[in-house]
């Protein structure tokens, strides 16, 4: 077991180095060599885990996805129990936007990964799978609100709009095109439309 | 004058090469050397126009922005005259999404530029300026619809939501996470909310 733990920690350490480099130097800074230097491990060690830069990016993407899931679960645990559908979706979408310190640190890595996926279709697979899972979850929650009579929305379409809106707001936040308060206000306004206003709940 | 025209054409030719490389190899493929080879000009010629890769990216970004403006103007010219506010905004937002052949070819360059702007604040300036101008235009058009009594929306917030939604849908289209029909349906649904349904107009 100790060896297994060591592997896990080493890979986490490498993923963290990928995130730091993506945030300071972008995709071009995420070479196997730069990551080895940033993580303080040998090139041989990096190559033991990852044969290519794309493998390393895929791993870092998976690591960030797990961390986001973990933070969403933490946010959900602080909600009044059982949480209502709107609050669940809000916790998810807010965590997708770089308003917290963790998300701000990770988001450049996500952008670098996305930019790579645009030109390397194989890298787009986990993005599409993630989107499908998120869409199914959000549509299900909007559907629950519909059946409770709070909203007459088309759940699948509302889910598309909410998720695309969160991505678009994320992009604006990343380049200083919108303030965090305004982004959250826009998101809340759209959540009201999909779920009905909270005071109607 | 002939010399001036030659300069203009040469720079357009270089911008087109930047777009092709960004679409096939991403930001990493857009080096001065690769662009010289792709455009069929000497490194010296490239360096005569652009001292750095970022200068070249800024120029290509400006060129694409001009082309998008031109295509929006063409799309607006085909609308029933005078075009209503909703149709104007729709023509703009549709051109921001990679549903046409031109936009599909240019969008990877835009993504590469955006990824660079995330780690190089100086590059984010034209993105923020473009966003400000778009936001002012869309908010003005939503405001016109409000004063016509078609909608009771908050124009500035509706403009934020529409523009972020268009960016988010663009990202999904780029990695095959949504079909063009579904993206346009989501956009139209949101336009109905901001402007009132067309059959109410």
């Amino acid at each position: 077991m100790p060896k297994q733990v060591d592997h896990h920690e080493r890979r986490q350490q490498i993923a963290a180095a990928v995130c730091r480099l993506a945030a300071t130097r972008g995709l071009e800074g995420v070479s196997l060599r730069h990551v080895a230097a940033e993580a303080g491990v040998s090139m041989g060690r990096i190559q033991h885990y990852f044969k290519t830069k794309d493998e390393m990016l895929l791993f870092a993407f998976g690591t960030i996805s797990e961390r986001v899931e973990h933070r969403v679960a933490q946010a959900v645990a602080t909600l009044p129990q059982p949480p209502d559908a709107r609050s669940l979706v809000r916790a998810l979408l807010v965590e997708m936007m770089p308003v917290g310190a963790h998300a701000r640190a990770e988001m450049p890595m996500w952008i670098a990964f996305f930019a790579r996926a645009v030109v390397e279709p194989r890298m787009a697979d986990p993005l599409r799978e993630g989107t499908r899972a998120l869409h199914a979850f959000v549509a299900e929650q909007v559907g629950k609100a519909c059946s409770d009579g709070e909203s007459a929305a088309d759940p699948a379409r509302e889910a598309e709009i909410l998720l695309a809106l969160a991505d678009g707001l994320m992009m604006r936040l990343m380049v200083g095109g919108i303030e965090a308060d305004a982004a959250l206000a826009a998101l809340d306004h759209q959540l009201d439309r999909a779920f009905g206003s909270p005071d109607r709940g």
Side-chain angles (χ1 to χ4, degrees), chain A:
Chain A
M1 284 307 286
K3 202 173 174 201
Q4 198 61 36
V5 170
D6 187 59
H7 273 307
H8 177 76
E9 275 177 16
R10 186 96 61 170
R11 287 167 68 101
Q12 292 295 319
Q13 183 185 348
I14 293 170
V18 170
C19 284
R20 287 196 300 275
L21 283 171
T24 50
R25 304 180 52 172
L27 188 56
E28 293 166 295
V30 187
S31 66
L32 293 175
R33 189 168 301 279
H34 287 145
V35 171
E38 178 70 25
V41 301
S42 69
M43 262 297 273
R45 180 60 66 179
I46 293 279
Q47 285 166 328
H48 172 72
Y49 292 115
F50 309 107
K51 295 287 168 273
T52 64
K53 175 172 170 169
D54 279 352
E55 273 183 29
M56 196 168 62
L57 284 171
L58 280 165
F59 174 73
F61 177 81
T63 302
I64 287 182
S65 301
E66 282 167 22
R67 283 193 213 151
V68 170
E69 275 175 42
H70 181 67
R71 288 201 302 270
V72 171
Q74 284 183 314
V76 167
T78 68
L79 295 172
Q81 300 296 319
D84 60 289
R86 183 188 192 280
S87 303
L88 278 176
V89 171
R90 187 180 195 278
L92 174 73
L93 297 180
V94 167
E95 203 50 62
M96 284 170 61
M97 305 204 301
V99 287
H102 287 292
R104 265 202 305 277
E106 290 164 0
M107 216 52 78
M109 156 65 215
W110 192 90
I111 296 287
F113 187 87
F114 177 81
R116 180 78 186 125
V118 166
V119 292
E120 177 52 63
R122 198 173 58 86
M123 304 285 278
D125 290 343
L127 280 179
R128 278 197 301 269
E129 279 162 34
T131 297
R132 252 196 301 274
L134 287 173
H135 182 264
F137 174 77
V138 174
E140 186 194 349
Q141 298 303 318
V142 175
K144 278 187 193 167
C146 288
S147 62
D148 291 349
E150 288 175 20
S151 158
D154 172 340
R157 190 171 52 195
E158 296 306 326
E160 289 288 10
I161 293 176
L162 283 169
L163 287 165
L165 175 64
D167 275 347
L169 291 171
M170 177 273 284
M171 292 178 77
R172 289 177 145 54
L173 284 163
M174 289 299 294
V175 292
I178 192 172
E179 296 297 319
D181 287 355
L184 291 173
L187 183 66
D188 279 324
H189 188 65
Q190 195 64 26
L191 284 166
D192 287 349
R193 284 169 161 159
F195 287 98
S197 289
D199 47 25
R200 279 204 280 150

